[in-house]
Amino acid sequence: MKPKILFLSAAHYCEHIKQLLKYYDYNFDNLCTLDFYEYESIAELPSLYRRFYDQYDGFCVTGLFSKRVISQVDDLPRKPMQCIYARSLEYYKEFFFLINENRSIDLKRVILDFSLWFDTDTQRQTPENAEEFIHANYRFSDRQSQIIEHTSIDVMMAAEENIVKNAVSLINENKADHIACRFATAYEKLKERGIPCSYIYPTIDTVIDTMQLLTSDIRLAQMDLDLPAVLHITSDALTFEESTGINPVNLQIQQCLLEFGQEHTTNLVIRQVLYGYEIYTTQQIVKEITNQFTACCLKTFVFGRTGIDIQVGYGIGANVIKARNNAAAASKIAQRNKKSYMINQNEVLVGPLETAGTSNERKEVPASVLAASRASRLSVTTIQRIFSVTEMLGTKELTTQDLASSLQVTIANANRFLNALLKSGFAEITSEKKSYSKGRPSRIYKILL
């Protein structure tokens, strides 16, 4: 079955993509089912993502900015999403058209809209006009990625208004002649105000590459649903003093686990192990019985039937052994905190999982996480993942390598996260760990969250 993909963008951008496909006589009929939805403001994206979440297998947006805004929707699991990057070649193409139309144009007076919504410190890191862009010695998309990751959502939500306001001001004060846009909805508003502007549209190759990559991501995500999963169940009420482990409480819980499987029409393989039970299933089943990996319905079910409080460690892995190991690691955290947790196939800790059985209630973000996000300019999601690592490791002291391994990111990214927390006062260096090979000792950071 072909995956269903929704393309979200402004009206002019959607129309451009349609015309591009028509001109080159290209369609994605053999690849996916592609629908378009037009919006007028970037602020609509989170609600649109929630609205269409269950109807589509993946989403395509116009740039990193839009992708980042949608990523703040943390009450729904991530679905495959790709954005159409602004490639340098497409900027050069637009500059060429401008020069061809007006040979006397001054490229210093052709302003990039990307420079109009950042503060002064960030502006210095980005090309302000066409001439600076041409002489920049780095890939623009890489710089965009780095800056957007450290930009707060409040600033991003105000970007559209700031671009229009600042562009109008520059034109009226005769400090600019033309605005080169990549912000789809701001472009519409600039045209409405009669501001000389043009849009940096993608080439057909960029569109095709993006859609092929998104379709591949969707296929991989669907394959992931068949990954093996293991649930490790423990409780202070369970006792295994006798060699058989048979006693009324244990039998009561075991019977309850069987009833849970029957009510959810799932084939759960239940096995008694030392100090608890293990359930063998698949990631697809876990996704269903945890309301998209957000709630521990099993914990709620058992307590409602027996009055016994259990802790569940969910593990998912590339094979049963890895899933079992992840479940055991998650179970240790669950026992310590008396809540349920999951470690997925990427070794990322998820949780604590809610026990109310509802995934519609937005989880409240702790004030300390919000404060750390604002001060460090790291996203709330990144801060939460770092905090989850400290819970998984059982300590707030870690090295760059520890963080990189746990988050499955590069050493450079882990180092950037820790330095951002260090500068903002949410981490401190406690000591250094000597290396047995050549090189500097590894710093040990204490996370202050």
Side-chain angles (χ1 to χ4, degrees):
M1 184 176 179
K2 292 187 297 184
K4 291 185 63 178
I5 294 175
L6 181 64
F7 193 100
L8 290 165
S9 189
H12 71 92
Y13 201 107
C14 290
E15 184 60 28
H16 173 81
I17 299 298
K18 293 175 184 177
Q19 292 300 321
L20 203 60
L21 296 175
K22 182 178 180 181
Y23 179 82
Y24 286 98
D25 193 24
Y26 191 94
N27 62 64
F28 296 104
D29 290 347
N30 295 327
L31 190 68
C32 64
T33 299
L34 179 61
D35 293 332
F36 291 85
Y37 189 89
E38 303 167 1
Y39 61 86
E40 296 182 355
S41 171
I42 197 77
E44 297 177 53
L45 278 176
S47 61
L48 289 176
Y49 181 69
R50 291 189 179 93
R51 173 181 169 185
F52 293 113
Y53 181 85
D54 292 327
Q55 300 177 37
Y56 292 90
D57 302 306
F59 296 84
C60 186
V61 292
T62 54
L64 286 167
F65 191 103
S66 302
K67 186 176 181 181
R68 172 73 192 284
V69 169
I70 292 178
S71 73
Q72 298 303 303
V73 179
D74 56 7
D75 57 345
L76 288 173
R78 295 285 175 265
K79 276 199 173 181
M81 181 180 302
Q82 287 292 338
C83 62
I84 297 181
Y85 285 84
R87 297 186 177 180
S88 300
L89 179 63
E90 292 155 2
Y91 277 87
Y92 296 141
K93 180 180 177 182
E94 184 58 37
F95 299 155
F96 173 79
F97 287 154
L98 289 174
I99 294 172
N100 193 51
E101 292 172 1
N102 180 6
R103 297 302 176 92
S104 63
I105 192 169
D106 183 356
L107 293 181
K108 289 182 179 178
R109 295 174 62 83
V110 176
I111 306 301
L112 306 182
D113 69 345
F114 192 77
S115 68
L116 299 179
W117 58 274
F118 282 122
D119 57 37
T120 305
D121 291 337
T122 309
Q123 260 187 27
R124 288 196 290 267
Q125 303 176 41
T126 62
E128 184 174 333
N129 54 49
E131 185 172 87
E132 286 184 14
F133 182 93
I134 291 172
H135 292 95
N137 59 355
Y138 54 74
R139 290 182 71 246
F140 192 44
S141 60
D142 290 342
R143 177 58 68 188
Q144 281 185 316
S145 301
Q146 294 169 9
I147 293 172
I148 289 175
E149 185 176 351
H150 292 86
T151 302
S152 71
I153 283 298
D154 291 339
V155 171
M156 298 179 81
M157 286 301 189
E160 181 182 290
E161 180 182 345
N162 288 338
I163 288 172
V164 176
K165 178 184 67 176
N166 293 331
V168 170
S169 177
L170 287 172
I171 296 294
N172 290 341
E173 295 172 9
N174 197 29
K175 294 180 179 178
D177 296 330
H178 192 91
I179 309 297
C181 296
R182 266 289 299 179
F183 201 111
T185 51
Y187 172 63
E188 295 274 29
K189 292 174 174 58
L190 289 175
K191 287 202 304 178
E192 290 172 3
R193 288 163 174 76
I195 301 298
C197 59
S198 57
Y199 195 82
I200 315 295
Y201 286 110
T203 64
I204 185 65
D205 288 339
T206 301
V207 175
I208 293 173
D209 289 347
T210 302
M211 296 305 297
Q212 288 178 339
L213 183 59
L214 177 54
T215 304
S216 177
D217 289 345
I218 293 172
R219 297 294 188 195
L220 288 173
Q222 291 172 342
M223 288 174 60
D224 279 351
L225 294 178
D226 294 326
L227 289 175
V230 176
L231 284 62
H232 194 114
I233 299 160
T234 58
S235 172
D236 293 338
L238 286 168
T239 57
F240 293 91
E241 297 175 358
E242 301 175 16
S243 58
T244 60
I246 297 175
N247 62 61
V249 173
N250 294 16
L251 289 175
Q252 195 176 12
I253 290 179
Q254 188 170 348
Q255 180 61 34
C256 200
L257 296 178
L258 292 170
E259 292 174 358
F260 180 82
Q262 291 169 358
E263 287 201 11
H264 288 78
T265 62
T266 58
N267 295 319
L268 302 178
V269 178
I270 303 172
R271 176 188 174 200
Q272 181 179 306
V273 294
L274 189 62
Y275 305 120
Y277 291 93
E278 283 183 347
I279 293 178
Y280 293 80
T281 182
T282 66
Q283 179 170 265
Q284 174 66 56
I285 299 299
V286 169
K287 182 179 181 181
E288 293 173 2
I289 66 176
T290 60
N291 290 338
Q292 307 284 336
F293 310 121
T294 62
C296 187
C297 301
L298 177 57
K299 182 180 176 74
T300 304
F301 183 89
V302 172
F303 187 81
R305 292 292 180 92
T306 67
I308 299 172
D309 190 28
I310 64 170
Q311 291 79 51
V312 185
Y314 296 84
I316 298 168
N319 53 54
V320 174
I321 294 176
K322 289 184 178 180
R324 192 167 182 262
N325 289 340
N326 286 344
S331 180
K332 290 181 180 179
I333 301 169
Q335 291 175 61
R336 184 166 64 244
N337 297 322
K338 301 302 179 185
K339 295 179 179 180
S340 297
Y341 289 83
M342 178 177 71
I343 295 180
N344 64 22
Q345 67 273 27
N346 297 318
E347 306 295 331
V348 174
L349 180 68
V350 180
L353 304 183
E354 298 292 332
T355 56
T358 172
S359 61
N360 294 325
E361 298 177 0
R362 187 184 180 93
K363 295 180 183 178
E364 184 177 350
V365 179
S368 60
V369 171
L370 292 174
S373 176
R374 285 192 293 266
S376 66
R377 301 187 74 178
L378 296 175
S379 69
V380 170
T381 302
T382 298
I383 299 295
Q384 289 175 320
R385 291 183 66 196
I386 293 172
F387 182 72
S388 294
V389 168
T390 63
E391 288 195 322
M392 181 172 67
L393 297 177
T395 176
K396 292 195 173 184
E397 295 191 349
L398 43 78
T399 64
T400 303
Q401 181 62 56
D402 293 332
L403 186 61
S405 299
S406 299
L407 292 182
Q408 296 290 294
V409 298
T410 63
I411 292 291
N413 275 335
N415 189 55
R416 180 162 54 81
F417 294 159
L418 290 172
N419 282 334
L421 291 175
L422 186 66
K423 290 178 182 178
S424 59
F426 285 89
E428 62 182 16
I429 298 173
T430 58
S431 60
E432 291 187 340
K433 184 179 181 181
K434 291 185 178 180
S435 174
Y436 292 102
S437 59
K438 292 182 180 180
R440 295 181 179 179
S442 300
R443 290 178 173 180
I444 296 178
Y445 296 81
K446 183 176 184 180
I447 308 300
L448 304 177
L449 289 173

